[in-house]
Amino acid sequence: MARLVFMGTPEFAVPSLRTLATEHHVTGVVSQPDRRVGRGLKFSTAPTKATAQELGIPVITPTSLLDENSLSQIADWKPELIVVVAYGHILRHDLLALPASGCLNVHASLLPRHRGAAPVAAAILAGDIRTGVSIQQMEAGLDTGPVLAQREITIDAGHTTGALTANLAPLGARLLRETIPGFLDGEIIPKLQDNALATYAPKLRKDDGRLDFSHSAVELERQVRAMQPWPGAFALRRMQPIRVLRADASSGKAPPGLVVRDSGNIAVGTRNGLLQLHSIQPPGKRAMDPDNYARGAPNFVGDTLD
């Protein structure tokens, strides 16, 4: 049983924290601070912080890891190993060097593919047929450290980023549990990444959800799935955003952006093919079937979306 400090923030990190708490002595947890969310701007507690409190593990939520008090607290926990799962910030050098066995990271891609903050969305956008999780030794670069273990899963046709992330979270926890003992015993030889094969997945921005109908229907269908649950895919109708929650690509043809009917479905023309709309959310309304929206907005079919 090793002394560990765990660093993580979102729901993706919770299965790993729970697994480590049953297998090792987790002396402390570091999570990002509570943030205001939603229209009411109410404070939301990070899932890992809530889990640590439930498990009775000390937790800190520094606003910055440049804070010497935070580094001192982590040092006081005397970790043999630090495990990082979607913490949200790059670790400073003195923190990486603090534990005798270094720092391990659970990354939601098959490194070196999709290094960066949004690997699951990037895999869907790229049309990858498989993805997975990697356990890597952390170093100063962004997800550049040697890989200890990987596990693959298939990306299904209907996977959104939210659904795929939910599948990858327990997979990462299991692989972490299997990997740590061999790593600490020196039985696992880290494998250097081939930087020539690296791709990058930068943090998503709100505007990444905007649909550009000069792209193909296949590309836009991937974008709709990749942007769920955040930032959400959308297009503009008469300068107002309409969110596209579910869509499929079809082989029909229409000018890019033009709303038409296709085999009984409402669809939008693209550079190549039609994007059939199955669920949309107009401004100020709940998600609805596009036909229901069209009944209240009879000029919708024939409009052009931007």
Side-chain angles (χ1 to χ4, degrees), residues 1-137:
M1 179 178 287
R3 290 178 62 88
L4 307 179
V5 164
F6 184 87
M7 301 181 67
T9 301
E11 191 66 37
F12 176 77
V14 169
S16 291
L17 174 56
R18 289 191 179 279
T19 296
L20 292 177
T22 63
E23 303 275 333
H24 300 279
H25 183 197
V26 180
T27 57
V29 169
V30 185
S31 177
Q32 295 228 16
D34 298 348
R35 301 193 184 280
R36 294 185 182 273
V37 298
R39 292 184 179 180
L41 294 179
K42 294 181 179 180
F43 276 106
S44 176
T45 301
T48 47
K49 175 184 175 182
T51 302
Q53 291 172 333
E54 173 195 333
L55 297 174
I57 301 173
V59 57
I60 60 173
T61 57
T63 56
S64 171
L65 289 178
L66 298 177
D67 178 6
E68 292 299 328
N69 290 332
S70 300
L71 184 64
S72 176
Q73 175 60 77
I74 296 170
D76 287 345
W77 284 330
K78 298 179 173 60
E80 179 183 356
L81 179 71
I82 291 178
V83 176
V84 182
V85 185
Y87 175 64
H89 287 299
I90 296 176
L91 272 58
R92 51 191 281 186
H93 176 74
D94 45 1
L95 183 54
L96 290 172
L98 179 63
S101 295
C103 302
L104 297 185
N105 172 243
V106 179
H107 187 73
S109 82
L110 299 174
L111 292 170
R113 190 159 178 79
H114 304 315
R115 295 172 177 173
V120 180
I124 294 173
L125 283 170
D128 294 353
I129 61 174
R130 61 180 59 85
T131 188
V133 290
S134 301
I135 310 295
Q136 63 157 339
Q137 283 184 294

Side-chain angles (χ1 to χ4, degrees), residues 226-239:
M227 297 300 126
Q228 293 286 4
W230 194 91
F234 68 96
L236 298 182
R237 180 191 182 226
R238 303 180 183 183
M239 304 301 294

